[in-house]
Amino acid sequence: MELQNTVKEALNALYHHPDDAVRMQADRWLQDFQRTIDAWQVADNLLHDASSNQETLIFCSQTLRSKVQRDFEELPSEAFRPLRDSLNTLLKTFHKGPPKVRTQISLAVAALAVHVPADDWGEGGIINWLKDEMNSHPEFIPSFLELLRVLPEEEFNYKIAARPDRRRQFEKELASATETALNILTACLNINELKEQVLEAFASWLRLRHRIPASTLSSHPLVLAALSSLNAEILSESSVNVISELIHYTAARNSGGVSVQLPLIQAIVPQVMSLKPQLRDPSKDEEDIKAIARLFADMGDAYVELIATGSDESMLIVHALLEVASHPEFDIASMTFNFWHNLQMILTERESYRAFGDETSIETERTRRLHVFLSSYESLVSLVIFRVQYPQDYLDLSLEDQKDFMQTRYAVADVLIDAALVLGGEPMLKILYMKLVEAISHCGQDQNSDWRPAEAALYCIRAISDYISDIEAEVMPQIMSLLPKLPHQPQLLQTVCLTIGAYSRWLNAASSGLSFLPMLIDILVSGMSMCEDSAAAAALAFRHICNDCKEKLCGSLDGLFQIYQTAVNGEGPFKVSAEDSLHLVEALSMVITELPSEHAKKALEAVCLPSVAPLQEIINQGPQVLGQKTARELTVHFDRLANIFRYVNHPEAVADAIQRLWPIFKAIFDVRAWDMRTMESLCRACKNAVRTSKRLMGVTIGAMLEEIQGLYGQHHQPCFLYLSSEVIKIFGSDPSCANYLKVLIESLFSHTACLLTKIQDFTSRPDIADDCFLLASRCIRYCPQLFFPSSVFPSMVDCAMVGITVQHREACNSILNFLSDIFDLANSTLGENCLSIRDTVIIPRGPTITRILIACLTGALPTSRLETVTYALLALTRAYGLKALEWAKECVSLIPSTAVTELERTRFLQALSDAASGANINGLVVPIDEISEVCRRNRTVQEIVQGALRPLDLNIVAV
């Protein structure tokens, strides 16, 4: 009684106390209480207590539902019947009580059915038990109907802590009880006020896709009731749900095909088609229109393969879907978009025509089908393009509404792409060009004229750019000629710039493309001066043009350089942000790549100058000033240099540049090594230089590595590790670098091993762990002959064992991949000679590694990491065969039988045995996933398993 009063007081505090701290404390206490064994009795008592208020009833019903779902194993086996009877009493008690409470109790009974085999409920399982209860207590039928609705929904509810075998058995029990369940629902149809509830429950059972013959369903009273409700003045939501499920039921993979399902299809389709006139009925409620549109969309999605044949009957559905697509409300019209995409794929992909045999037949049928649907897709285009037009009050819309409008534009762009694939790019372009011409005729040169139709047409033209031939000569030249005539309104200019960028390949390949470049670049310059959004679009377009037209632009380098310099120096009217200026950096770098080597060196020096000069000026002011600068004042220049070194593909020129710049880089390394942001940016520039120059770096690479090797020991910046990783990739196999690289990796790894000695270290510095083990994997791939014989290899394995269970995704994956690379060493030609060294380190640690990996599999890591853990465990098993199996047997024997049964253990070990024998890994995933699911089925079991496997019982003592 005392605990019951405490629960009531805590709930009162949670909902009514004015102090936030008290409410949070009450919430924590209640959550902890729900996990206790006492919660069963207390929640049950309070639910039976007539004086409990609604807050108490809702909380206790949720608690009881949660306990049945997750903690049913806490109860002795003889507790089932008293619990079932209590829940049954509560269902009857609350048959007219709060709906939330009744639903929670129904879910608790359904969860009980998942846990408890059918035989324990009596002959016929829970469905027969339910039938008897309904016959004995007809006054409580509404409550029992809710239970009948939620029961099939719980089949795939993985919050219920049932074992996989029991879940599969429950699925079979429901399948065998389907006929009885539908008979119960049919009997309840006679009670008119329960019709909605009956149909909702029917829809729920249909979702299970248990095979009921189509001939039976087509004349089934429940189906006929749902179909007849479609003609009611007020459309029944439950009827729509039933018809929707029936549509998908007839098209399910295991349905047996159209011929088998034809009786049901013939019953459904005419009834749905008869609703088409209502789509245009102004007296109809919008929710009803939405429901009707949903049924047409469901038919389109379910029968798309049939529709694609282009028969007269299927075209009736297509016309109905065009009617839906024409609805002014986007939420309704967009219901059809998935259908148009799937239809396009079937019409255009060769896979759809395999049954037609030879090439001639395939092409004939493909041409026939495309011709049938041409007018439909043309109509679709005319129905959707108006939706991309900016509303007049766009700037007054809320931020959320503006985002919604942009999402609408993206969705329409996808539909236009589908249309272009069916109609062909050029015919589509002609349609949109006519829209553009019409819009421009109403659009003057001043900003006050209505620019929106022209912008919308251009947006659509840009959307299909990938589907227009690079040498199209009829329409594209006319479009390009129109662009300079458009007013410089911000949104319009932004779209003009993006359209120019989208057709950069055409500008390069088309015979008239070159003649347009000067005036188009002038438009981009105007875009950079208008506003931040148009400047961003112009910078991106500039990059595309320079990438695709770089050969043509080599002679215009001076003009391009002037634009670049104005933008990056922040001079003049340009409104290009530092981030968007990187597009200009990349653009110029791509053009420089096309220059001869002797010219490229000078051009590279010039393009670096706007970034180098400010850095040199800061350094000249002395270490104190350099140390006081904000990171942003330095990184803006290093980010640009990083992009230059990445995109100027002249290895010798980049190597010369980095050699000249090294004194500047070293000065900043020396003074700012404590500053993570600056170091990351500087290391990115160095990494790109190394990647481009490769072995031409010469003496600079030695100086660079010496610098970071010394600084890493003091400042432990992770970026020093990823820069070293790039060096290992390029120089790892070079014998002349072996001694130097050996010293480097031993230094970096020994420092890191001292930093990461317990799991808390990994948690606090996951970035170091991530980059360290990425570097270690690189060493395994590119210089195993240096890594495995080194003194740091054993300590890195020990370090990995400590850190495997770190919750940080990237760090954890890097560690697991590092171990997998070690286990897979036999697959590497470079690493074969190191197998014996590997084995002397791994075999003594094998039992512990296996224990930790199995702990990760069974709950120490989240399920999102399962695939990577499974691969590591199977790689270990493949590498060490019978030894690994013995290690695994020893580990799983530690898990108590209350958590894992002997059968579950055996299946898991058999999967590992098959892996050791060389079986395909894909076939072994199910038993491994199942032991993971079993061990995670609830918190108690997970704690038992982790307590037995002790994945954290391992620390490294720093030497």
Side-chain angles (χ1 to χ4, degrees):
M1 196 67 184
E2 185 181 341
L3 193 50
Q4 288 174 208
N5 290 332
T6 308
V7 169
K8 288 181 178 180
E9 289 166 9
L11 284 166
N12 188 55
L14 176 66
Y15 288 108
H16 304 293
H17 202 284
D19 189 336
D20 285 349
V22 173
R23 287 202 301 273
M24 284 178 63
Q25 187 179 0
D27 186 37
R28 279 195 298 271
W29 186 89
L30 288 165
Q31 286 183 39
D32 291 340
F33 162 75
Q34 286 180 311
R35 289 193 280 269
T36 65
I37 192 83
D38 293 327
W40 288 100
Q41 193 64 58
V42 171
D44 187 65
N45 290 346
L46 287 171
L47 284 167
H48 286 281
D49 184 349
S51 67
S52 293
N53 62 21
Q54 186 159 320
E55 290 163 358
T56 303
L57 293 174
I58 290 172
F59 171 77
C60 289
S61 61
Q62 288 172 338
T63 300
L64 206 51
R65 182 262 305 153
S66 174
K67 295 298 283 183
V68 177
Q69 285 181 338
R70 306 297 296 175
D71 301 323
F72 181 67
E73 289 177 71
E74 290 180 345
L75 300 178
S77 57
E78 60 270 18
F80 159 62
R81 287 187 184 280
L83 176 59
R84 182 193 67 185
D85 294 344
S86 177
L87 290 169
N88 187 16
T89 303
L90 290 171
L91 265 183
K92 296 169 185 173
T93 302
F94 292 107
H95 82 286
K96 287 185 178 176
K100 284 183 179 177
V101 175
R102 190 169 58 250
T103 299
Q104 293 299 311
I105 293 166
S106 297
L107 289 169
V109 180
L112 196 60
V114 179
H115 287 296
V116 179
D119 291 347
D120 291 4
W121 290 81
E123 188 179 347
I126 186 174
I127 299 299
N128 256 14
W129 173 84
L130 190 54
K131 177 183 168 187
D132 292 342
E133 287 292 324
M134 292 171 89
N135 288 334
S136 305
H137 306 281
E139 69 274 23
F140 301 126
I141 283 178
S143 282
F144 292 126
L145 276 177
E146 177 147 21
L147 173 55
L148 199 56
R149 175 181 65 80
V150 301
L151 199 59
E153 293 171 0
E154 296 304 282
E155 181 178 312
F156 301 108
N157 181 358
Y158 285 89
K159 287 182 181 176
I160 299 174
R163 297 173 185 275
D165 282 343
R166 174 59 204 144
R167 197 179 293 282
R168 283 189 285 268
Q169 188 57 39
F170 179 66
E171 187 180 350
K172 290 176 184 173
E173 290 168 8
L174 286 187
S176 64
T178 298
E179 187 179 345
T180 308
L182 298 194
N183 289 340
I184 294 171
L185 291 173
T186 304
C188 293
L189 266 180
N190 299 323
I191 309 169
N192 197 47
E193 58 268 26
L194 295 181
K195 189 175 178 182
E196 284 285 299
Q197 213 178 341
V198 168
L199 291 177
E200 281 296 349
F202 180 40
S204 184
W205 280 86
L206 285 172
R207 284 185 201 107
L208 293 180
R209 307 282 189 263
H210 292 148
R211 301 283 27 105
I212 306 167
S215 54
T216 303
L217 275 178
S218 63
S219 57
H220 198 286
L222 289 166
V223 174
L224 298 177
L227 288 170
S228 66
S229 295
L230 292 181
N231 300 316
E233 192 167 328
I234 299 172
L235 201 59
S236 154
E237 184 182 349
S238 59
S239 298
V240 171
N241 289 339
V242 168
I243 305 305
S244 174
E245 291 302 330
L246 286 168
I247 289 167
H248 291 293
Y249 189 96
T250 60
R253 285 183 183 175
N254 61 344
S255 67
V258 175
S259 57
V260 174
Q261 294 297 322
L262 202 56
L264 187 53
I265 293 172
Q266 288 172 335
I268 297 168
V269 174
Q271 289 286 343
V272 177
M273 290 302 296
S274 70
L275 300 173
K276 183 184 170 188
Q278 297 185 32
L279 288 168
R280 288 188 175 272
D281 185 346
S283 66
K284 272 287 173 187
D285 180 75
E286 188 179 308
E287 289 305 310
D288 282 357
I289 300 291
K290 222 176 237 185
I292 294 168
R294 172 189 160 197
L295 291 178
F296 281 115
D298 284 341
M299 282 205 308
D301 291 339
Y303 305 139
V304 65
E305 290 185 12
L306 276 175
I307 292 169
T309 61
S311 66
D312 292 343
E313 295 87 350
S314 68
M315 294 310 290
L316 294 175
I317 298 177
V318 172
H319 294 146
L321 287 164
L322 283 170
E323 192 80 49
V324 176
S326 71
H327 196 278
E329 283 295 323
F330 180 74
D331 286 348
I332 292 174
S334 62
M335 288 181 183
T336 67
F337 288 3
N338 192 56
F339 162 75
W340 300 113
H341 173 68
N342 290 335
L343 179 60
Q344 171 270 120
M345 289 182 72
I346 292 172
L347 293 174
T348 57
E349 289 184 1
R350 287 184 54 80
E351 190 69 20
S352 312
Y353 300 94
R354 271 197 312 177
F356 291 90
D358 61 272
E359 282 296 321
T360 305
S361 303
I362 286 174
E363 197 51 43
T364 302
E365 178 62 15
R366 187 174 181 274
T367 304
R368 182 193 74 78
R369 290 189 183 189
L370 286 170
H371 181 72
V372 168
F373 287 98
L374 282 181
S375 61
S376 300
Y377 275 91
E378 285 172 355
S379 299
L380 178 65
V381 171
S382 65
L383 291 173
V384 298
I385 54 176
F386 79 93
R387 298 183 189 277
V388 305
Q389 184 169 307
Y390 274 94
Q392 284 190 318
D393 61 346
Y394 176 75
L395 294 176
D396 298 326
L397 296 178
S398 68
L399 194 60
E400 199 60 40
D401 286 342
Q402 288 184 359
K403 282 183 182 175
D404 287 345
F405 172 65
M406 288 303 171
Q407 289 301 320
T408 297
R409 281 166 63 103
Y410 300 149
V412 171
D414 288 340
V415 175
L416 294 174
I417 289 169
D418 290 326
L421 286 162
V422 173
L423 301 173
E426 281 69 25
M428 181 81 169
L429 187 65
K430 286 178 184 175
I431 295 171
L432 297 175
Y433 170 64
M434 296 310 295
K435 295 283 183 186
L436 178 63
V437 170
E438 182 187 347
I440 289 177
S441 68
H442 302 298
C443 179
Q445 277 288 334
D446 64 290
Q447 289 193 26
N448 297 322
S449 58
D450 194 1
W451 52 270
R452 297 174 306 120
E455 190 280 336
L458 267 182
Y459 178 87
C460 296
I461 289 169
R462 173 192 159 217
I464 63 164
S465 60
D466 286 343
Y467 306 93
I468 306 302
S469 166
D470 290 345
I471 55 172
E472 199 280 336
E474 184 182 346
V475 178
M476 279 310 302
Q478 296 181 67
I479 291 174
M480 290 299 171
S481 300
L482 289 173
L483 296 184
K485 300 173 184 175
L486 294 169
H488 284 186
Q489 191 280 338
Q491 284 103 326
L492 176 56
L493 185 55
Q494 181 182 358
T495 301
V496 168
C497 291
L498 290 172
T499 305
I500 292 169
Y503 284 92
S504 56
R505 288 197 308 276
W506 180 86
L507 289 167
N508 180 55
S511 56
S512 58
L514 181 61
S515 63
F516 290 110
L517 276 177
M519 69 177 187
L520 295 180
I521 289 174
D522 285 344
I523 293 174
L524 297 184
V525 170
S526 298
M528 290 182 208
S529 308
M530 171 67 73
C531 64
E532 283 191 16
D533 286 343
S534 65
L540 181 60
F542 195 77
R543 182 198 184 281
H544 286 313
I545 284 182
C546 288
N547 182 33
D548 290 317
C549 307
K550 47 186 175 280
E551 292 177 13
K552 290 182 168 64
L553 291 170
C554 284
S556 309
L557 198 58
D558 289 344
L560 298 178
F561 185 75
Q562 191 174 352
I563 295 169
Y564 162 78
Q565 196 167 26
T566 305
V568 300
N569 287 342
E571 300 167 351
F574 285 3
K575 294 179 172 63
V576 182
S577 69
E579 186 178 349
D580 291 321
S581 73
L582 294 177
H583 292 312
L584 302 177
V585 172
E586 293 164 20
L588 212 59
S589 300
M590 291 167 180
V591 177
I592 291 171
T593 295
E594 295 304 307
L595 297 175
S597 294
E598 61 276 11
H599 294 150
K601 286 186 180 181
K602 290 179 182 177
L604 178 58
E605 192 173 340
V607 84
C608 289
L609 191 60
S611 296
V612 172
L615 291 172
Q616 186 65 68
E617 188 179 336
I618 292 169
I619 290 167
N620 290 344
Q621 294 174 52
Q624 189 173 354
V625 172
L626 175 57
Q628 290 170 347
K629 291 289 181 184
T630 64
R632 185 63 184 152
E633 290 176 273
L634 302 170
T635 59
V636 67
H637 304 300
F638 286 125
D639 289 346
R640 288 170 184 162
L641 290 171
N643 277 26
I644 292 168
F645 295 151
R646 179 180 176 184
Y647 290 100
V648 173
N649 193 11
H650 275 285
E652 194 175 341
V654 171
D656 286 351
I658 201 76
Q659 188 173 357
R660 285 196 314 275
L661 295 176
W662 176 244
I664 294 175
F665 285 15
K666 185 178 186 311
I668 293 169
F669 269 125
D670 289 342
V671 175
R672 300 284 297 212
W674 50 269
D675 174 9
M676 182 178 285
R677 283 184 60 199
T678 300
M679 288 300 102
E680 283 179 350
S681 183
L682 177 51
C683 283
R684 195 178 305 116
C686 292
K687 180 189 78 171
N688 287 345
V690 171
R691 188 176 285 174
T692 299
S693 303
K694 296 186 170 57
R695 302 192 180 189
L696 294 173
M697 286 280 283
V699 293
T700 315
I701 192 68
M704 189 184 294
L705 294 180
E706 190 176 341
E707 183 76 12
I708 62 170
Q709 182 179 323
L711 292 173
Y712 182 71
Q714 302 170 51
H715 300 284
H716 313 129
Q717 296 287 9
C719 54
F720 295 161
L721 297 170
Y722 81 60
L723 174 53
S724 303
S725 187
E726 193 62 37
V727 172
I728 291 293
K729 181 180 176 181
I730 291 164
F731 295 94
S733 58
D734 187 343
S736 65
C737 301
N739 290 336
Y740 197 89
L741 292 180
K742 186 172 183 296
V743 172
L744 173 73
I745 61 178
E746 287 186 352
S747 170
L748 295 178
F749 287 143
S750 59
H751 277 300
T752 306
C754 292
L755 290 173
L756 304 173
T757 61
K758 52 188 183 297
I759 190 63
Q760 292 83 353
D761 298 332
F762 285 82
T763 303
S764 62
R765 290 305 305 267
D767 48 355
I768 286 185
D770 181 22
D771 286 315
C772 171
F773 286 99
L774 284 173
L775 172 59
S777 282
R778 277 273 170 92
C779 290
I780 293 171
R781 280 193 281 276
Y782 294 102
C783 56
Q785 75 285 0
L786 301 180
F787 179 63
F788 283 99
S790 73
S791 59
V792 293
F793 170 53
S795 60
M796 287 308 295
V797 174
D798 290 337
C799 190
M801 289 160 64
V802 174
I804 295 178
T805 55
V806 66
Q807 297 302 298
H808 187 275
R809 185 181 61 206
E810 284 81 9
C812 178
N813 282 336
S814 294
I815 295 168
L816 287 165
N817 289 333
F818 163 71
L819 290 172
S820 297
D821 288 340
I822 292 173
F823 305 148
D824 284 340
L825 189 62
N827 301 336
S828 157
T829 43
L830 285 173
E832 281 179 333
N833 297 330
C834 303
L835 286 173
S836 60
I837 302 173
R838 177 199 70 174
D839 293 348
T840 59
V841 172
I842 296 298
I843 289 173
R845 294 165 173 79
T848 307
I849 293 173
T850 308
R851 174 169 57 81
I852 296 170
L853 287 173
I854 292 176
C856 291
L857 196 69
T858 54
L861 287 176
T863 52
S864 58
R865 228 63 51 79
L866 268 185
E867 188 178 344
T868 318
V869 174
T870 300
Y871 183 86
L873 183 60
L874 293 175
L876 175 69
T877 309
R878 282 197 309 264
Y880 292 101
L882 291 175
K883 281 193 184 72
L885 278 177
E886 287 304 315
W887 300 335
K889 280 179 188 173
E890 189 181 330
C891 290
V892 294
S893 70
L894 299 172
I895 304 173
S897 57
T898 52
V900 177
T901 66
E902 196 55 44
L903 180 60
E904 287 158 349
R905 273 183 243 271
T906 303
R907 284 180 185 159
F908 171 66
L909 291 171
Q910 184 59 49
L912 295 187
S913 176
D914 292 344
S917 304
N920 188 298
I921 285 178
N922 294 332
L924 310 176
V925 170
V926 171
I928 294 173
D929 282 354
E930 287 194 352
I931 200 168
S932 174
E933 184 189 333
V934 163
C935 293
R936 297 169 188 265
R937 64 186 184 271
N938 62 38
R939 184 188 293 245
T940 304
V941 170
Q942 192 164 333
E943 287 172 356
I944 288 169
V945 173
Q946 294 305 304
L949 294 175
R950 309 179 322 281
L952 298 179
D953 280 8
L954 179 69
N955 284 331
I956 298 172
V957 179
V959 179

